[in-house]
Amino acid sequence: MEIEKTTIVLKPDPKKVQLRVFEPATEIQRNNILSRVLTLSDKEAENEYENISKEFNSRHRNMSEFFLRRYRQVAKYVDEGSSMSKTKQLLIGASLSMEYAVESTALFNPAVVWHPDQNDLPSGSKRFIISLRAVGEGHVSSIVFREGILDSKNNISVEEPGIFVTPPEVITGTNYDKLIFQRKIKETDLVGELSENVFEQLGNIFVYNELEQLLDSTTAQSQFYNEKNKLAVNEILSSSFSDYEIFYTPDIPLTERIIFPRSMAESNGIEDARFVCFHDDDGSIRYYATYTAFNGSKIQSHLLETEDFLHFRINRISGLEAKNKGMALFPKKINGMYAMLSRQDNENNFIMFSDNLYIWNTKQLISKPVFNWEIVQTGNCGSPIETEKGWLVLTHGVGPVRKYCIGAILLDKNDPSKVIGRLKKPLLSADEKEREGYVPNVVYTCGSLINGDALIIPYAMSDYASSFAKVNLKDLLNELTSG
């Protein structure tokens, strides 16, 4: 069995910058910044903002809109008696904003799915979307996208991305399911008289403002007014912000869209999104991605959902077994249940089943490290792919000197808790040109797809850049089932 590596290399680009909020270290510093802008004459403010526009306007789409939104966030701190021109508003917004190079450090751990738009293509060609983990200053990870085309002979072309990175519209405080939210709170050890009292008053579906008002009114009561409950309120509200939605308009190209950390749970990164095209029992199709949210000390598993890559819904995954990294959703239900691969113990591959997409309480071991190239640990490399012979799962194995290789297992089509095939040797490993990078000796993928007679594998090279490899599907399945 031969694997063909392409010459395509997707490298991080430090020119891909987005505007972010800059928070001064103290309230005093923030107020001093506001005061300095307010004391400028209108002419001075106009000259300064003209200089800013000349230097930065070509680097961002709708820069002035971002600065005005930033000004509105701090407008309450401006003396109401101040005469505020639009130029000074823009200058305040600019003074409390910053550029962030989203992929200055790395562009890796890709996943690939078919594009929802397959129009205007040559015969036999298909359009795909690659999601990538982009890493910038401070090792903060986000999700970015590229588009490409596979022709009838499985030649791969990737379109050049646009020059901008455009933040989305963000909405928090959308509808919450009380049952699911209660489970999240239980997992944070915040259950007590306060939370129970509040949940009794909430409807089965509620919005953030209702939760906030009930928490405020309840803690105002004498029996609940104490420091412990004040902390609990902050934690409950913080937990609610793990769920949010982001929106893009169709005029923003896919390669400009970014899913950047928004909640406290993911403040230090959105890591290793495993995208999958999910076919529901009713015939509907949507895209899901499981990813690891990291706040600098703790990790959580989150689920992203979209139908069009314009509107994204983000929710935390809950349950007794919603632990660790590497959760990967099957592309359809199995015997009426959602199915998920997982790795709760940092070492072995497990499978989980649930009737609720957001709650996972049980697990079952399916494979352990066997060969020397996976002697340290094993895990999945993306969602399972359905084939005529079973569920094909790419795996990663970690061997001596923490060298990462990509392997494969085959699961029974009707009972994927059974492993019916396993590669004895790695399918893909880093060659001499690929072993140097942010983390050396690593190849890794978060999702592949089948096109005709080939398995197309986008893969990361040493946590720095990404490429593609191809392998004949029939040869791979024969190797897995040959014993």
Side-chain angles (χ1 to χ4, degrees), residues 116 196 199 230 250 261 273 289 306 354 360 363 434 446 463:
E196 290 176 355
F199 282 124
K230 286 182 181 179
T306 184
S354 176
W360 300 84
K363 69 177 185 294
E434 300 169 334
C446 288
D463 284 11

Side-chain angles (χ1 to χ4, degrees), residues 345 347-351 364-370 374 378-379 395 409 411 417 419 422:
D345 63 357
E347 187 174 359
N348 305 303
N349 276 313
F350 293 85
I351 191 169
Q364 182 178 346
L365 178 67
I366 58 172
S367 69
K368 298 179 177 180
V370 173
E374 57 183 9
T378 187
T395 62
I409 59 175
L411 307 180
S417 65
V419 177
R422 185 167 188 162

